[in-house]
Amino acid sequence: MRLRQGDGAWHAAETADIGVGGAFLRTDLALAVGVGITVELPLPEAPTPVELGAIVRWVAPSPTQGVGVQFEGVDIDVLLALDTYFTGLDRDQAP
């Protein structure tokens, strides 16, 4: 996964927690609360990575270092694909 602010360069990020409404992303990129970003997320069912608009809602300092983001303006088809993907993950992790 990767992210970028505005039309800037892409930066590597790691997903620590993700759901249909948002995610916690581990990144070295310094972002402030309220900043808009684009998150690029590869999904197994999608031929190309999905781009999601997001707003930084909180910032975690080191050692966790990352940002909590809320997805916004996501197309319904993308939301359905995310929901299907996460539901599959939940089933795979069930005892």
Side-chain angles (χ1 to χ4, degrees):
M1 135 170 301
R2 57 189 192 159
L3 61 87
R4 72 177 174 195
Q5 182 178 353
D7 291 332
W10 288 102
H11 298 272
E14 179 182 311
T15 308
D17 186 16
I18 190 167
V20 173
F24 176 72
L25 308 175
R26 289 193 178 124
T27 179
D28 293 335
L29 189 61
L31 296 167
V33 171
V35 167
I37 64 170
T38 301
V39 176
E40 186 181 74
L41 177 66
L43 292 177
E45 310 85 32
T48 59
V50 174
E51 287 190 13
L52 306 167
I55 300 289
V56 175
R57 295 297 181 197
W58 54 276
V59 176
S62 292
T64 306
Q65 192 164 353
V67 293
V69 301
Q70 178 183 7
F71 300 136
E72 65 169 16
V74 180
D75 184 77
I76 187 68
D77 292 333
V78 172
L79 285 175
L80 291 172
L82 288 171
D83 186 56
T84 299
Y85 177 65
F86 297 138
T87 300
L89 289 178
D90 289 342
R91 269 196 307 261
D92 292 344
Q93 295 175 4

